[in-house]
């Protein structure tokens, strides 16, 4: 590996949704970031179906949710067949609707390549571009930097490196991090993007028979594009037949009763096997792992890409504080502390949803809707166990929980606004409920400036927001007459809940973030 190398503050390896979310979050914080990918060109695969409700909230914070909503579509109803005949239509999100504390009622279906294109466009607005044809093959850590050697002989120096390079992660392997779990060889599918005619694009078609299945989901933004999934053909020896247009046509004709010639132009073919694996640690010195590089699991419930997005959003603000010298490197250990248990939970819930789905499709009318539950929205996940979540609660929230949205009005103009608009950006947000919080809000403004933006909710002398309909107090569980401070982290999770009378709590929390030695942080 060359001794000298261009340097950057953070190098991200892998330009899928996880890497791009992290790059966008760092770039908006004015962090010098580079993002590389081994591919010679950007992929065009549909793959992941799209962001869940929590990921849509992240995309809003990053300023791209409107683009995602415009490019995608609501998930279509599922049409289930048996012996080639339609027997049931199901919309698993029929009863879902936005609420004051959760503005997105349904997930959004968008081809993964389209989502990545939107995120690359956002990243380019910060002057950062993905560097293709750059394969990481070596890692060398020093006391204050990491050098990454590339396959073409170049090298890049960085203060920190984040591997977002997928389930086969070279970065993870170079670190020697174990990827523990199992691969279920008998549970497999063949997949690919196909062109198809003669099917109603208003449905996600699912043919389930006793001896196999075919599923075709319309790809938003295309005239005749579909995402094809099926149990593989088997040869005479019982081995799975590799995916191909010819094989797809035979499977389609067998299970649908329609001519196989309805399918054409199969591309980006792959064989999917159920993998349930998790890295045993997320950080080795100055190198961290995120997304599929840290965990892979069943696709049931659609949590793969979404879990990676949440990894990135959790890590971004912490890495930025460490890189800029605002915080001790010990803060990075809270990334693993918070996200590794979520990955473990995700493996459990997706495994359970897969079992439920496999059981459901054995019966006529059963389908992939069996995998969808309230748990897969991502809204209920938080970090109550974290050392960044000290004691503090209301009747509805505890430190570590996702911070809810709520419609309010600007106290000065009377115009409608939302708490999520107050949260959007790289800062902490201090909410003060009640007039007794005014002094604490003024002190936060004077001490921290834009790093902590203070908003009074019906806070009397500190006029910021009015909560005439009571949605904010309801969402945060703050009773009338109980003056309460809520500190919201940059990743929009509650960091601290305390009484307005505890004027030192906010400063103590932020000091502990920036100087964790001797505190609840576990190691440095």
């Amino acid at each position: 590996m060359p001794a000298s190398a261009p340097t950057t503050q953070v190098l991200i390896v892998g330009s899928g949704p996880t890497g791009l979310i992290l790059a966008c979050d760092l770039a908006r914080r004015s962090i010098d970031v580079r993002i590389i990918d081994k591919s010679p060109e950007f992929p065009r695969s549909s793959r992941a179906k799209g962001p869940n409700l929590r990921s849509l909230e992240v995309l809003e914070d990053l300023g791209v949710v409107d683009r995602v909503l415009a490019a995608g579509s609501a998930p279509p109803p599922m049409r289930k067949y048996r012996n080639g005949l339609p027997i049931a239509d199901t919309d698993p999100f029929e009863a879902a609707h936005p609420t004051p504390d959760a503005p997105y009622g349904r997930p959004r279906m968008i081809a993964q390549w389209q989502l990545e294109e939107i995120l690359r466009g956002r990243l380019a607005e910060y002057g950062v571009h993905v560097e293709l044809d750059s394969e990481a093959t070596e890692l060398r850590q020093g006391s204050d930097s990491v050098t990454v050697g590339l396959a073409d002989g170049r090298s890049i120096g960085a203060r920190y490196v984040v591997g977002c390079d997928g389930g086969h992660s070279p970065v993870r392997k170079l670190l020697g991090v174990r990827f523990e779990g199992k691969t279920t060889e008998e549970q497999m599918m063949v997949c690919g993007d196909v062109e198809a005619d003669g099917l109603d694009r208003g449905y996600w078609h699912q043919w389930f028979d006793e001896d196999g299945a075919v599923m075709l989901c319309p790809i938003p933004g295309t005239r005749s594009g579909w995402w094809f999934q099926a149990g593989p053909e088997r040869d005479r020896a019982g081995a799975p037949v590799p995916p191909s247009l010819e094989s797809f046509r035979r499977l389609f004709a067998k299970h649908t009763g329609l001519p196989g010639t309805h399918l054409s132009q199969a591309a980006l073919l792959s064989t999917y096997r159920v993998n349930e694996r998790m890295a045993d640690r997320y950080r080795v010195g100055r190198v961290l792992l995120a997304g599929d590089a840290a965990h892979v699991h069943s696709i049931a419930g659609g949590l793969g890409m979404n879990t990676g997005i949440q990894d990135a959003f959790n890590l971004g603000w912490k890495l930025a504080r460490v890189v800029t010298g605002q915080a001790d490197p010990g803060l990075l250990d809270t990334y693993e502390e918070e996200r590794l248990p979520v990955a473990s939970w995700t493996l459990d819930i997706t495994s359970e949803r897969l079992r439920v789905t496999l059981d459901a499709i054995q019966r006529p009318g059963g389908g992939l809707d069996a995998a969808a539950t309230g748990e897969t929205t991502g809204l209920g996940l938080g970090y109550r166990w974290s050392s960044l979540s000290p004691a503090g609660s209301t009747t509805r929230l505890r430190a570590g929980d996702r911070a809810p949205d709520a419609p309010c009005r600007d106290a000065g103009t009377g115009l409608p606004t939302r708490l999520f608009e107050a949260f959007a950006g790289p800062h902490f947000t201090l909410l003060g409920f009640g007039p007794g919080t005014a002094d604490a809000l003024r002190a936060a403004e004077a001490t921290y400036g834009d790093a902590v933006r203070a908003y009074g909710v019906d806070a009397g002398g500190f006029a910021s927001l009015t909560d005439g309909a009571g949605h904010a107090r309801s969402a945060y569980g703050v009773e009338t007459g109980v003056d309460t401070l809520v500190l919201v982290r940059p990743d929009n999770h509650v960091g601290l809940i305390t009484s307005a009378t505890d004027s030192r709590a906010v400063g103590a929390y932020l000091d502990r973030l920036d100087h964790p030695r001797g505190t609840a942080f576990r190691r440095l």
Side-chain angles (χ1 to χ4, degrees), residues 62-408:
L62 293 175
V64 297
V65 73
D66 288 343
R67 304 179 208 180
V68 172
L69 295 176
S73 65
M78 299 178 181
R79 174 159 287 177
K80 278 76 70 75
Y81 300 78
R82 202 72 167 190
N83 299 320
L85 298 175
I87 59 173
D89 291 345
T90 304
D91 182 354
F93 305 105
E94 183 176 14
H97 56 85
T99 60
D101 63 336
Y104 302 101
R106 291 174 174 236
R108 202 66 175 172
M109 186 169 284
I110 182 173
Q112 184 169 323
W113 69 265
Q114 290 178 297
L115 177 61
E116 291 173 356
E117 191 172 75
I118 290 169
L119 291 170
R120 288 197 301 270
R122 183 59 166 165
L123 190 58
E125 294 172 14
Y126 298 108
V128 181
H129 302 272
V130 176
E131 302 171 40
L132 294 173
D133 209 10
S134 300
E135 182 179 2
T137 56
E138 295 180 82
L139 279 175
R140 185 176 66 212
Q141 294 205 53
S143 59
D144 59 359
S145 66
V146 186
T147 303
V148 176
L150 306 183
D152 60 7
R154 294 179 294 139
S155 61
I156 301 173
R159 290 187 60 193
Y160 287 91
V161 172
V162 186
C164 305
D165 47 347
H168 297 290
S169 172
V171 171
R172 186 189 65 241
K173 293 174 182 177
L174 289 168
L175 290 174
V177 171
R178 295 193 302 274
F179 206 41
E180 299 172 337
K182 64 180 180 179
T183 299
T184 309
E185 293 290 343
E186 63 272 16
Q187 293 178 347
M188 66 173 62
M189 291 189 301
V190 288
C191 312
D193 286 359
V194 301
E195 297 290 322
D197 295 318
L199 294 175
D200 187 340
R201 291 183 62 82
Y203 293 93
W204 184 346
H205 300 273
Q206 303 171 12
W207 291 267
F208 293 109
D209 297 319
E210 294 181 2
D211 60 346
V214 164
M215 293 156 279
L216 279 164
C217 182
I219 301 173
T222 64
R223 183 187 62 82
S224 57
W226 296 78
W227 176 241
F228 180 98
Q229 297 169 285
E233 289 187 299
R234 301 279 178 172
D235 61 21
R236 292 183 178 180
V241 174
S244 67
L245 174 59
E246 293 73 23
S247 178
F248 284 6
R249 283 175 165 173
R250 290 191 295 268
L251 287 165
F252 180 81
K254 173 184 176 181
H255 292 288
T256 70
L258 300 172
T261 52
H262 277 3
L263 302 188
S264 60
Q265 299 183 36
L268 300 164
L269 308 179
S270 63
T271 298
Y272 167 81
R273 291 174 174 82
V274 175
N275 280 293
E276 297 174 335
R277 297 182 181 274
M278 187 171 70
D280 64 347
R281 48 187 171 154
Y282 282 14
R283 178 188 175 197
V284 179
R286 292 179 172 268
V287 184
L288 302 105
L289 301 172
D292 286 355
H295 44 75
V296 294
H297 44 79
S298 161
I299 60 175
L303 291 175
M305 178 187 73
N306 289 291
T307 304
I309 287 174
Q310 300 305 320
D311 284 349
F313 206 49
N314 181 287
L315 177 59
W317 69 275
K318 299 172 180 178
L319 190 54
R321 293 183 80 85
V322 171
V323 166
T324 56
Q326 293 176 280
D328 188 280
L331 180 61
L332 293 178
D333 287 329
T334 68
Y335 167 62
E336 176 183 306
E337 178 190 0
E338 293 184 339
R339 294 304 298 171
L340 194 148
V342 172
S344 179
W345 174 88
T346 302
L347 263 66
D348 289 342
I349 189 65
T350 54
S351 177
E352 187 267 339
R353 287 293 94 195
L354 178 62
R355 289 194 298 271
V356 169
T357 302
L358 292 175
D359 180 62
I361 64 177
Q362 299 302 313
R363 302 183 298 274
L368 300 186
D369 51 299
T373 71
E375 294 173 300
T376 60
T377 66
L379 298 180
L381 293 176
Y383 312 118
R384 291 184 174 185
W385 60 84
S386 170
S387 60
L388 297 185
S389 304
S393 64
T394 67
T395 58
R396 291 194 61 176
L397 288 180
R398 284 177 54 187
D401 290 351
R402 162 192 167 270
D405 194 13
C408 301

Side-chain angles (χ1 to χ4, degrees), residues 413-462:
T413 66
L415 295 175
T417 186
R418 296 162 50 220
L419 290 185
F420 275 8
E421 292 181 35
F423 299 164
H427 55 271
F428 283 82
T429 305
L430 181 62
L431 298 178
F433 291 88
T437 63
D439 288 344
L441 295 171
R442 290 192 191 95
E445 272 196 338
T447 304
Y448 300 104
D450 283 344
V452 180
R453 296 189 182 174
Y455 293 86
V457 182
D458 298 331
F462 194 95

